[in-house]
């Protein structure tokens, strides 16, 4: 726990590089740990000199290394980076604050810090995601999900920009959404130029082999929500409404499971 001292200009949506400084903070229990770390550095230096001179004091080297590991763990627990520990090791000076560095390249999804902010241990200061590759969660109806397998290729389209990217199926998840009556399919896609951002909606198209079936254009089926109807031409300008059951839907076509025979003429739109 502690309080924020300085904050960089990095905000939500900013791209950051690994080890870029984001902010700094002071912690009341940090001073004593840093001082012990510096003392241990001095002790390790003396042990190395003793070992080089062949002194019996070198036998204490394992204990010194253990103490140093303990101090490093304490500093890491306080949130101090390896780079700042190396800086202290070089200067042997107690820093005025602990630097918060970006742990990886990425995009800032959330920033929860401001100068003077007091925080508790475990508080999330920044959330950073590497968006060079993203997950896409697609809603797929149960009848369609049975044809999907990990590794299948897909096309992902961002309708607003008319941009299409390749993707592949990573996993058909076991969770079932009772509201939409769909399964979640997770796809993985490279994201050049960070075109895809968290929360965006995309269209997903997958190519798969389907069994032979009676199929009609999607527009030929009138779906009232209670029943699905296709109008069959009987001749002489007479049309018969026919209740049907449907199956898979792909490429502007929909499978007719029950209600039509091959060769019957229907109203297509």
């Amino acid at each position: 726990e502690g309080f924020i001292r300085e904050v960089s200009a990095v905000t939500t949506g900013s791209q950051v590089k690994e080890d870029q400084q984001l902010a700094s903070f002071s912690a009341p229990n940090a001073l004593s740990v840093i001082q012990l770390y510096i003392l241990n550095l001095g002790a390790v230096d003396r042990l190395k000199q003793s070992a080089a001179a062949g002194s019996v004091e070198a036998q204490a080297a394992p204990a010194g290394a253990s103490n140093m590991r303990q101090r490093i763990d304490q500093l890491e627990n306080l949130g101090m980076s390896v780079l700042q520990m190396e800086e202290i090791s070089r200067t042997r000076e107690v820093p005025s604050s602990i630097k918060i560095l970006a742990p990886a390249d990425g995009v800032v999804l959330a920033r929860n810090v401001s100068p003077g902010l007091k925080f508790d241990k475990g508080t999330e200061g920044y959330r950073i995601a590497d968006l060079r590759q993203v997950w896409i969660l697609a809603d797929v109806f149960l009848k369609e999900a049975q044809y999907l397998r990990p590794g299948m290729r897909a096309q992902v389209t961002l309708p607003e920009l008319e941009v299409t990217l390749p993707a592949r199926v990573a996993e058909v998840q076991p969770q079932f959404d009772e509201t939409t009556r769909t399964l979640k399919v997770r796809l993985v896609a490279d994201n050049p130029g960070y075109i895809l951002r968290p929360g965006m909606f995309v269209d997903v198209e997958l190519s798969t082999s389907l069994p032979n079936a009676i199929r009609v254009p999607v527009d030929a089926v009138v779906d009232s929500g209670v029943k699905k109807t296709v109008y069959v031409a009987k001749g002489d300008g007479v049309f018969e409404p026919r209740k049907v059951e449907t199956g898979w839907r792909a490429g502007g076509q929909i499978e007719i499971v029950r209600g039509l025979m091959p060769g019957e003429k229907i109203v297509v739109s």
Side-chain angles (χ1 to χ4, degrees), residues 142-256:
L142 189 60
K143 290 181 180 179
E144 299 170 345
Q146 62 182 317
Y147 301 112
L148 304 185
R149 299 288 183 273
M152 288 180 62
R153 298 298 174 180
Q155 294 291 326
V156 176
T157 302
L158 190 60
E160 291 85 352
L161 300 179
E162 297 183 352
V163 173
T164 300
L165 300 171
R168 61 178 175 82
V169 175
E171 179 186 17
V172 180
Q173 298 182 348
Q175 293 89 347
F176 183 73
D177 190 319
E178 297 178 357
T179 304
T180 60
R181 303 189 66 78
T182 58
L183 290 172
K184 294 288 185 184
V185 175
R186 179 162 59 83
L187 300 98
V188 177
D190 290 331
N191 188 21
Y194 301 113
I195 295 173
L196 302 176
R197 297 297 181 98
M200 280 184 173
F201 285 90
V202 296
D203 295 329
V204 176
E205 181 179 330
L206 298 110
S207 299
T208 183
S209 298
L210 298 172
N212 291 331
I214 299 173
R215 62 176 186 238
V216 301
V218 171
D219 290 343
V221 180
V222 179
D223 190 348
S224 68
V226 178
K227 64 178 181 178
K228 297 173 182 177
T229 304
V230 171
Y231 288 89
V232 181
K234 305 301 291 184
D236 299 326
V238 177
F239 299 91
E240 172 190 302
R242 187 86 58 81
K243 182 180 178 182
V244 296
E245 293 182 18
T246 60
W248 54 257
R249 175 175 176 168
Q253 300 284 310
I254 189 167
E255 178 191 17
I256 303 299

Side-chain angles (χ1 to χ4, degrees), residues 90-101:
R90 185 175 63 256
T91 63
R92 304 298 167 96
E93 295 179 357
V94 178
S96 59
S97 60
I98 296 176
K99 299 174 183 177
I100 301 175
L101 305 183

Side-chain angles (χ1 to χ4, degrees), residues 2-4 31 34 48 52 74 82 86 91 96-97 120 132 141 176 194 214 224 234-235 238 251-252 262 268:
F3 66 91
I4 300 294
L31 182 61
I34 295 172
K48 288 180 180 178
Q74 289 174 329
V82 174
E86 291 175 351
T91 63
S96 59
S97 60
D120 295 325
R132 289 175 295 182
F141 289 110
F176 183 73
Y194 301 113
I214 299 173
S224 68
K234 305 301 291 184
V238 177
V268 297

Side-chain angles (χ1 to χ4, degrees), residues 20-195:
Q20 179 178 338
Q21 184 169 341
L22 306 177
S24 64
F25 68 92
S26 293
N29 55 344
L31 182 61
S32 59
V33 177
I34 295 172
Q35 289 173 334
L36 284 173
Y37 176 65
I38 293 174
L39 288 174
N40 277 130
L41 286 171
V44 169
D45 289 343
R46 288 191 296 273
L47 287 172
K48 288 180 180 178
Q49 293 172 358
S50 299
S55 172
V56 294
E57 292 181 5
Q59 297 176 358
S66 177
N67 287 336
M68 179 59 69
R69 181 68 257 176
Q70 184 179 0
R71 302 299 168 236
I72 292 173
D73 288 345
Q74 289 174 329
L75 291 175
E76 288 179 344
N77 192 46
L78 286 170
M80 184 172 286
S81 67
V82 174
L83 285 179
Q84 191 167 14
M85 280 187 267
E86 291 175 351
E87 182 182 344
I88 295 172
S89 178
R90 185 175 63 256
T91 63
R92 304 298 167 96
E93 295 179 357
V94 178
S96 59
S97 60
I98 296 176
K99 299 174 183 177
I100 301 175
L101 305 183
D105 295 352
V107 175
V108 177
L109 301 185
R111 191 193 86 162
N112 304 313
V113 300
S114 58
L117 176 72
K118 292 184 178 180
F119 61 87
D120 295 325
K121 183 176 175 62
T123 299
E124 179 185 80
Y126 293 83
R127 185 182 305 154
I128 300 171
D130 182 357
L131 297 182
R132 289 175 295 182
Q133 190 177 74
V134 297
W135 285 358
I136 298 165
L137 291 178
D139 294 315
V140 179
F141 289 110
L142 189 60
K143 290 181 180 179
E144 299 170 345
Q146 62 182 317
Y147 301 112
L148 304 185
R149 299 288 183 273
M152 288 180 62
R153 298 298 174 180
Q155 294 291 326
V156 176
T157 302
L158 190 60
E160 291 85 352
L161 300 179
E162 297 183 352
V163 173
T164 300
L165 300 171
R168 61 178 175 82
V169 175
E171 179 186 17
V172 180
Q173 298 182 348
Q175 293 89 347
F176 183 73
D177 190 319
E178 297 178 357
T179 304
T180 60
R181 303 189 66 78
T182 58
L183 290 172
K184 294 288 185 184
V185 175
R186 179 162 59 83
L187 300 98
V188 177
D190 290 331
N191 188 21
Y194 301 113
I195 295 173

